[in-house]
Amino acid sequence: MKTKVLMVCLGNICRSPLAEGILQSKVDFDTVLVDSAGTAGYHVGNPPDPRSVAVAQKYGLDISAQKCRRFSRTDFDEFDFIYVMDRNNFSDIASLARNQQEAEKIKLLLSEVNVGIHEVPDPYHGDEDGFEDVYQMIDLACEAIAKKLN
Ligand code: 4NP
């Protein structure tokens, strides 16, 4: 059975689509499945933000076919690990957990690395540089996760 990892942010168009694409590219496709979701439903059905698509493309990843979806409580049944980008995502998801075992699946993505900050900042209202920074920190965290999973 595959290990299943879910990446979660607010909109599921900027940060978590990058995290999905980056981690999936670093793990064995036959044994690890990576997906992403948002805590909010503003962009459901949409592709990732063009700025996330562009920065992924710069590093050789195509995330353009991803489709935004909202996190659902049933994701706790499906996924083994749930990585959130910031503390707001953490509390939003934790409030949906039905028991301790589900709550324990949730981790801040940057808890996997030592980069001096604990949250992946929301780049949505900023410029392209913000997307580059976010890419780099997500990449470091996914490298650490992939080492554990592979
Ligand atoms: P994300 O960024 O959580 O990294 O996907 C955002 C995308 C959209 C919005 C906020 C954050 N929004 O307010 O529409």
Side-chain angles (χ1 to χ4, degrees):
M1 219 170 68
K2 286 190 183 189
T3 301
K4 295 184 180 170
V5 182
L6 185 66
M7 301 297 190
V8 174
C9 63
L10 174 62
N12 190 214
I13 55 165
C14 298
R15 293 166 292 177
S16 59
L18 280 172
E20 175 186 336
I22 292 169
L23 182 61
Q24 189 70 76
S25 77
K26 295 178 187 289
V27 293
D28 180 355
F29 202 81
D30 294 330
T31 57
V32 183
L33 179 141
V34 189
D35 191 13
S36 66
T39 58
Y42 323 124
H43 303 280
V44 168
N46 292 349
D49 186 287
R51 295 165 296 176
S52 283
V53 173
V55 75
Q57 188 80 54
K58 179 177 164 191
Y59 294 103
L61 292 178
D62 182 2
I63 63 164
S64 63
Q66 290 185 31
K67 275 215 170 11
C68 173
R69 73 170 178 90
R70 192 169 189 181
F71 181 86
S72 142
R73 190 169 259 149
T74 57
D75 286 319
F76 285 116
D77 303 324
E78 188 83 5
F79 291 90
D80 304 294
F81 302 100
I82 299 173
Y83 286 105
V84 294
M85 301 299 131
D86 62 37
R87 292 192 180 91
N88 284 334
N89 308 148
F90 195 106
S91 51
D92 287 345
I93 297 297
S95 72
L96 297 173
R98 291 159 292 197
N99 54 53
Q100 187 69 16
Q101 194 199 352
E102 289 184 352
E104 283 171 2
K105 293 184 175 185
I106 313 166
K107 276 180 128 183
L108 279 170
L109 182 72
L110 295 186
S111 69
E112 295 291 343
V113 281
N114 240 320
V115 289
I117 57 170
H118 301 289
E119 302 180 287
V120 180
D122 182 349
Y124 185 62
H125 296 287
D127 58 17
E128 268 79 9
D129 285 354
F131 284 76
E132 175 69 33
D133 293 347
V134 156
Y135 185 96
Q136 294 304 334
M137 56 186 90
I138 292 174
D139 187 59
L140 281 174
C142 288
E143 190 67 34
I145 295 168
K147 274 212 179 85
K148 292 205 273 192
L149 293 177
N150 279 337

Short mmCIF file of all heavy atoms in Angstrom, two decimals, residues 90-133:
data_model
loop_
_atom_site.label_atom_id
_atom_site.label_comp_id
_atom_site.label_asym_id
_atom_site.label_seq_id
_atom_site.Cartn_x
_atom_site.Cartn_y
_atom_site.Cartn_z
N PHE A 90 -2.86 24.98 10.47
CA PHE A 90 -2.78 23.96 11.52
C PHE A 90 -4.05 23.97 12.37
O PHE A 90 -4.69 22.93 12.56
CB PHE A 90 -1.55 24.19 12.40
CG PHE A 90 -1.18 23.02 13.26
CD1 PHE A 90 -0.08 22.24 12.96
CD2 PHE A 90 -1.95 22.68 14.37
CE1 PHE A 90 0.25 21.14 13.75
CE2 PHE A 90 -1.63 21.58 15.15
CZ PHE A 90 -0.52 20.82 14.84
N SER A 91 -4.44 25.15 12.83
CA SER A 91 -5.62 25.17 13.72
C SER A 91 -6.91 24.88 12.96
O SER A 91 -7.80 24.23 13.50
CB SER A 91 -5.70 26.47 14.52
OG SER A 91 -5.59 27.56 13.65
N ASP A 92 -6.97 25.33 11.69
CA ASP A 92 -8.17 25.03 10.90
C ASP A 92 -8.35 23.52 10.71
O ASP A 92 -9.46 22.99 10.84
CB ASP A 92 -8.08 25.69 9.52
CG ASP A 92 -8.28 27.20 9.58
OD1 ASP A 92 -8.77 27.69 10.62
OD2 ASP A 92 -7.94 27.88 8.59
N ILE A 93 -7.25 22.84 10.40
CA ILE A 93 -7.33 21.40 10.16
C ILE A 93 -7.52 20.65 11.49
O ILE A 93 -8.32 19.71 11.58
CB ILE A 93 -6.04 20.90 9.46
CG1 ILE A 93 -5.87 21.56 8.09
CG2 ILE A 93 -6.02 19.39 9.33
CD1 ILE A 93 -6.94 21.24 7.11
N ALA A 94 -6.78 21.11 12.51
CA ALA A 94 -6.87 20.43 13.82
C ALA A 94 -8.30 20.48 14.35
O ALA A 94 -8.76 19.54 15.01
CB ALA A 94 -5.89 21.06 14.81
N SER A 95 -9.01 21.56 14.04
CA SER A 95 -10.39 21.69 14.56
C SER A 95 -11.32 20.66 13.90
O SER A 95 -12.43 20.44 14.39
CB SER A 95 -10.92 23.10 14.34
OG SER A 95 -11.18 23.33 12.97
N LEU A 96 -10.89 20.08 12.78
CA LEU A 96 -11.72 19.07 12.10
C LEU A 96 -11.37 17.63 12.52
O LEU A 96 -12.10 16.70 12.19
CB LEU A 96 -11.55 19.21 10.58
CG LEU A 96 -12.02 20.52 9.96
CD1 LEU A 96 -11.63 20.58 8.48
CD2 LEU A 96 -13.53 20.67 10.11
N ALA A 97 -10.26 17.47 13.21
CA ALA A 97 -9.85 16.12 13.63
C ALA A 97 -10.86 15.55 14.61
O ALA A 97 -11.35 16.26 15.49
CB ALA A 97 -8.46 16.17 14.25
N ARG A 98 -11.17 14.25 14.44
CA ARG A 98 -12.18 13.62 15.28
C ARG A 98 -11.59 12.94 16.51
O ARG A 98 -12.31 12.57 17.42
CB ARG A 98 -12.99 12.60 14.45
CG ARG A 98 -13.88 13.26 13.40
CD ARG A 98 -14.27 12.33 12.29
NE ARG A 98 -13.13 11.95 11.47
CZ ARG A 98 -13.23 11.41 10.24
NH1 ARG A 98 -14.42 11.17 9.73
NH2 ARG A 98 -12.14 11.10 9.56
N ASN A 99 -10.30 12.76 16.49
CA ASN A 99 -9.64 12.14 17.63
C ASN A 99 -8.16 12.48 17.64
O ASN A 99 -7.64 13.09 16.70
CB ASN A 99 -9.86 10.61 17.61
CG ASN A 99 -9.41 10.02 16.28
OD1 ASN A 99 -8.28 10.24 15.85
ND2 ASN A 99 -10.29 9.27 15.62
N GLN A 100 -7.49 12.03 18.69
CA GLN A 100 -6.07 12.35 18.88
C GLN A 100 -5.21 11.79 17.75
O GLN A 100 -4.28 12.43 17.27
CB GLN A 100 -5.63 11.75 20.23
CG GLN A 100 -4.22 12.12 20.65
CD GLN A 100 -4.12 13.59 21.01
OE1 GLN A 100 -5.14 14.26 21.24
NE2 GLN A 100 -2.91 14.12 21.05
N GLN A 101 -5.57 10.59 17.30
CA GLN A 101 -4.79 9.92 16.25
C GLN A 101 -4.81 10.75 14.96
O GLN A 101 -3.79 10.90 14.29
CB GLN A 101 -5.38 8.53 16.01
CG GLN A 101 -4.49 7.62 15.20
CD GLN A 101 -5.29 6.47 14.59
OE1 GLN A 101 -6.47 6.28 14.89
NE2 GLN A 101 -4.65 5.71 13.73
N GLU A 102 -5.98 11.31 14.64
CA GLU A 102 -6.08 12.16 13.44
C GLU A 102 -5.29 13.45 13.65
O GLU A 102 -4.55 13.89 12.76
CB GLU A 102 -7.54 12.47 13.13
CG GLU A 102 -8.29 11.25 12.62
CD GLU A 102 -9.73 11.54 12.22
OE1 GLU A 102 -10.23 12.67 12.45
OE2 GLU A 102 -10.36 10.62 11.67
N ALA A 103 -5.43 14.05 14.82
CA ALA A 103 -4.74 15.31 15.10
C ALA A 103 -3.22 15.13 15.01
O ALA A 103 -2.50 16.03 14.56
CB ALA A 103 -5.13 15.83 16.48
N GLU A 104 -2.75 13.96 15.39
CA GLU A 104 -1.30 13.71 15.37
C GLU A 104 -0.72 13.55 13.97
O GLU A 104 0.49 13.53 13.79
CB GLU A 104 -0.97 12.49 16.24
CG GLU A 104 -1.01 12.83 17.72
CD GLU A 104 -0.91 11.62 18.63
OE1 GLU A 104 -0.77 10.49 18.11
OE2 GLU A 104 -0.98 11.82 19.86
N LYS A 105 -1.58 13.45 12.98
CA LYS A 105 -1.09 13.38 11.59
C LYS A 105 -0.63 14.74 11.07
O LYS A 105 0.06 14.84 10.08
CB LYS A 105 -2.20 12.85 10.66
CG LYS A 105 -2.57 11.40 10.90
CD LYS A 105 -3.60 10.92 9.88
CE LYS A 105 -3.85 9.42 10.10
NZ LYS A 105 -4.74 8.87 9.08
N ILE A 106 -1.06 15.81 11.75
CA ILE A 106 -0.81 17.17 11.26
C ILE A 106 0.54 17.70 11.77
O ILE A 106 0.82 17.66 12.97
CB ILE A 106 -1.91 18.14 11.73
CG1 ILE A 106 -3.30 17.55 11.50
CG2 ILE A 106 -1.78 19.49 11.02
CD1 ILE A 106 -4.41 18.29 12.24
N LYS A 107 1.34 18.21 10.82
CA LYS A 107 2.63 18.81 11.18
C LYS A 107 2.86 20.06 10.35
O LYS A 107 2.47 20.11 9.18
CB LYS A 107 3.77 17.84 10.85
CG LYS A 107 4.07 16.79 11.88
CD LYS A 107 5.20 15.92 11.40
CE LYS A 107 6.30 15.80 12.42
NZ LYS A 107 7.42 15.00 11.90
N LEU A 108 3.55 21.03 10.93
CA LEU A 108 4.02 22.17 10.12
C LEU A 108 5.11 21.66 9.18
O LEU A 108 6.03 20.96 9.61
CB LEU A 108 4.62 23.25 11.03
CG LEU A 108 3.66 24.20 11.73
CD1 LEU A 108 4.43 25.03 12.76
CD2 LEU A 108 2.93 25.12 10.76
N LEU A 109 5.01 22.01 7.90
CA LEU A 109 5.99 21.53 6.92
C LEU A 109 7.42 21.87 7.34
O LEU A 109 8.32 21.03 7.24
CB LEU A 109 5.70 22.14 5.54
CG LEU A 109 6.62 21.68 4.41
CD1 LEU A 109 6.32 20.24 4.01
CD2 LEU A 109 6.52 22.60 3.21
N LEU A 110 7.62 23.10 7.83
CA LEU A 110 8.98 23.52 8.16
C LEU A 110 9.50 22.92 9.46
O LEU A 110 10.66 23.15 9.82
CB LEU A 110 9.09 25.05 8.18
CG LEU A 110 8.86 25.74 6.83
CD1 LEU A 110 9.14 27.23 6.94
CD2 LEU A 110 9.70 25.13 5.70
N SER A 111 8.66 22.13 10.14
CA SER A 111 9.18 21.43 11.33
C SER A 111 10.16 20.34 10.91
O SER A 111 10.87 19.79 11.74
CB SER A 111 8.03 20.83 12.14
OG SER A 111 7.42 19.76 11.44
N GLU A 112 10.20 20.03 9.62
CA GLU A 112 11.12 19.01 9.11
C GLU A 112 12.53 19.54 8.90
O GLU A 112 13.45 18.76 8.64
CB GLU A 112 10.60 18.46 7.77
CG GLU A 112 9.28 17.71 7.89
CD GLU A 112 9.41 16.38 8.63
OE1 GLU A 112 10.54 15.89 8.78
OE2 GLU A 112 8.38 15.86 9.07
N VAL A 113 12.69 20.86 8.95
CA VAL A 113 14.01 21.47 8.69
C VAL A 113 14.29 22.60 9.68
O VAL A 113 13.40 23.06 10.39
CB VAL A 113 14.09 22.07 7.25
CG1 VAL A 113 14.33 20.98 6.23
CG2 VAL A 113 12.85 22.87 6.91
N ASN A 114 15.57 23.03 9.68
CA ASN A 114 15.96 24.12 10.54
C ASN A 114 16.30 25.33 9.70
O ASN A 114 17.44 25.52 9.30
CB ASN A 114 17.22 23.69 11.32
CG ASN A 114 16.95 23.72 12.79
OD1 ASN A 114 16.27 24.64 13.26
ND2 ASN A 114 17.45 22.74 13.51
N VAL A 115 15.30 26.13 9.36
CA VAL A 115 15.57 27.27 8.49
C VAL A 115 15.29 28.61 9.19
O VAL A 115 15.26 29.65 8.55
CB VAL A 115 14.76 27.19 7.16
CG1 VAL A 115 15.29 26.09 6.27
CG2 VAL A 115 13.27 27.00 7.41
N GLY A 116 15.11 28.54 10.50
CA GLY A 116 14.95 29.77 11.26
C GLY A 116 13.52 30.28 11.35
O GLY A 116 13.22 31.14 12.16
N ILE A 117 12.65 29.77 10.47
CA ILE A 117 11.24 30.14 10.58
C ILE A 117 10.40 28.86 10.59
O ILE A 117 10.85 27.81 10.16
CB ILE A 117 10.76 31.06 9.43
CG1 ILE A 117 11.02 30.42 8.05
CG2 ILE A 117 11.40 32.43 9.51
CD1 ILE A 117 10.35 31.17 6.93
N HIS A 118 9.19 28.99 11.10
CA HIS A 118 8.35 27.81 11.28
C HIS A 118 7.18 27.74 10.31
O HIS A 118 6.52 26.72 10.20
CB HIS A 118 7.83 27.76 12.72
CG HIS A 118 8.94 27.71 13.71
ND1 HIS A 118 9.73 26.61 13.89
CD2 HIS A 118 9.43 28.66 14.55
CE1 HIS A 118 10.64 26.86 14.81
NE2 HIS A 118 10.49 28.10 15.22
N GLU A 119 6.93 28.87 9.62
CA GLU A 119 5.77 28.91 8.72
C GLU A 119 6.22 29.29 7.31
O GLU A 119 7.09 30.15 7.13
CB GLU A 119 4.76 29.96 9.19
CG GLU A 119 4.26 29.72 10.60
CD GLU A 119 3.25 30.78 11.03
OE1 GLU A 119 3.67 31.92 11.30
OE2 GLU A 119 2.06 30.46 11.07
N VAL A 120 5.60 28.67 6.30
CA VAL A 120 5.82 29.09 4.92
C VAL A 120 4.90 30.29 4.69
O VAL A 120 3.67 30.15 4.75
CB VAL A 120 5.47 27.96 3.91
CG1 VAL A 120 5.72 28.44 2.48
CG2 VAL A 120 6.26 26.69 4.22
N PRO A 121 5.48 31.48 4.43
CA PRO A 121 4.63 32.67 4.31
C PRO A 121 3.72 32.61 3.09
O PRO A 121 4.09 32.03 2.06
CB PRO A 121 5.64 33.82 4.18
CG PRO A 121 6.91 33.20 3.78
CD PRO A 121 6.90 31.78 4.26
N ASP A 122 2.55 33.22 3.22
CA ASP A 122 1.60 33.24 2.12
C ASP A 122 2.08 34.24 1.06
O ASP A 122 2.16 35.44 1.34
CB ASP A 122 0.24 33.68 2.70
CG ASP A 122 -0.85 33.70 1.65
OD1 ASP A 122 -0.53 33.59 0.46
OD2 ASP A 122 -2.02 33.83 2.06
N PRO A 123 2.42 33.78 -0.15
CA PRO A 123 2.99 34.69 -1.16
C PRO A 123 1.94 35.36 -2.04
O PRO A 123 2.27 36.14 -2.93
CB PRO A 123 3.84 33.73 -2.01
CG PRO A 123 3.04 32.45 -2.00
CD PRO A 123 2.34 32.39 -0.65
N TYR A 124 0.66 35.07 -1.80
CA TYR A 124 -0.41 35.43 -2.74
C TYR A 124 -0.46 36.92 -3.04
O TYR A 124 -0.64 37.33 -4.18
CB TYR A 124 -1.75 34.96 -2.16
CG TYR A 124 -2.94 35.16 -3.07
CD1 TYR A 124 -3.03 34.52 -4.30
CD2 TYR A 124 -4.00 35.99 -2.69
CE1 TYR A 124 -4.14 34.69 -5.12
CE2 TYR A 124 -5.11 36.16 -3.50
CZ TYR A 124 -5.17 35.50 -4.72
OH TYR A 124 -6.26 35.67 -5.53
N HIS A 125 -0.30 37.77 -1.99
CA HIS A 125 -0.43 39.21 -2.21
C HIS A 125 0.90 39.88 -2.51
O HIS A 125 0.97 41.10 -2.63
CB HIS A 125 -1.11 39.86 -0.99
CG HIS A 125 -2.52 39.38 -0.81
ND1 HIS A 125 -3.55 39.75 -1.64
CD2 HIS A 125 -3.06 38.51 0.09
CE1 HIS A 125 -4.67 39.15 -1.25
NE2 HIS A 125 -4.39 38.39 -0.21
N GLY A 126 1.97 39.10 -2.63
CA GLY A 126 3.29 39.68 -2.89
C GLY A 126 3.73 39.57 -4.34
O GLY A 126 2.90 39.40 -5.23
N ASP A 127 5.05 39.64 -4.57
CA ASP A 127 5.57 39.58 -5.94
C ASP A 127 6.24 38.23 -6.20
O ASP A 127 6.23 37.33 -5.36
CB ASP A 127 6.54 40.73 -6.20
CG ASP A 127 7.71 40.71 -5.22
OD1 ASP A 127 7.94 39.66 -4.58
OD2 ASP A 127 8.39 41.74 -5.09
N GLU A 128 6.87 38.11 -7.38
CA GLU A 128 7.47 36.84 -7.80
C GLU A 128 8.57 36.37 -6.84
O GLU A 128 8.77 35.18 -6.66
CB GLU A 128 8.06 36.95 -9.22
CG GLU A 128 7.10 36.55 -10.32
CD GLU A 128 6.09 37.64 -10.67
OE1 GLU A 128 6.26 38.78 -10.15
OE2 GLU A 128 5.14 37.36 -11.41
N ASP A 129 9.31 37.34 -6.26
CA ASP A 129 10.39 36.96 -5.33
C ASP A 129 9.85 36.12 -4.18
O ASP A 129 10.51 35.20 -3.69
CB ASP A 129 11.04 38.21 -4.71
CG ASP A 129 11.94 38.91 -5.72
OD1 ASP A 129 12.14 38.35 -6.82
OD2 ASP A 129 12.42 40.01 -5.40
N GLY A 130 8.65 36.44 -3.76
CA GLY A 130 8.02 35.69 -2.68
C GLY A 130 7.82 34.24 -3.07
O GLY A 130 8.00 33.33 -2.25
N PHE A 131 7.51 34.01 -4.32
CA PHE A 131 7.30 32.64 -4.81
C PHE A 131 8.62 31.88 -4.88
O PHE A 131 8.68 30.68 -4.58
CB PHE A 131 6.57 32.64 -6.16
CG PHE A 131 5.10 32.92 -6.02
CD1 PHE A 131 4.64 34.22 -5.78
CD2 PHE A 131 4.17 31.90 -6.08
CE1 PHE A 131 3.29 34.48 -5.62
CE2 PHE A 131 2.82 32.14 -5.92
CZ PHE A 131 2.38 33.44 -5.68
N GLU A 132 9.68 32.59 -5.24
CA GLU A 132 11.01 31.97 -5.27
C GLU A 132 11.41 31.55 -3.83
O GLU A 132 11.86 30.42 -3.61
CB GLU A 132 12.03 32.96 -5.85
CG GLU A 132 13.48 32.48 -5.82
CD GLU A 132 13.75 31.33 -6.79
OE1 GLU A 132 13.12 31.28 -7.85
OE2 GLU A 132 14.60 30.48 -6.45
N ASP A 133 11.23 32.46 -2.88
CA ASP A 133 11.58 32.15 -1.48
C ASP A 133 10.79 30.95 -0.97
O ASP A 133 11.34 30.05 -0.33
CB ASP A 133 11.26 33.35 -0.57
CG ASP A 133 12.17 34.54 -0.86
OD1 ASP A 133 13.18 34.36 -1.58
OD2 ASP A 133 11.85 35.65 -0.40
#
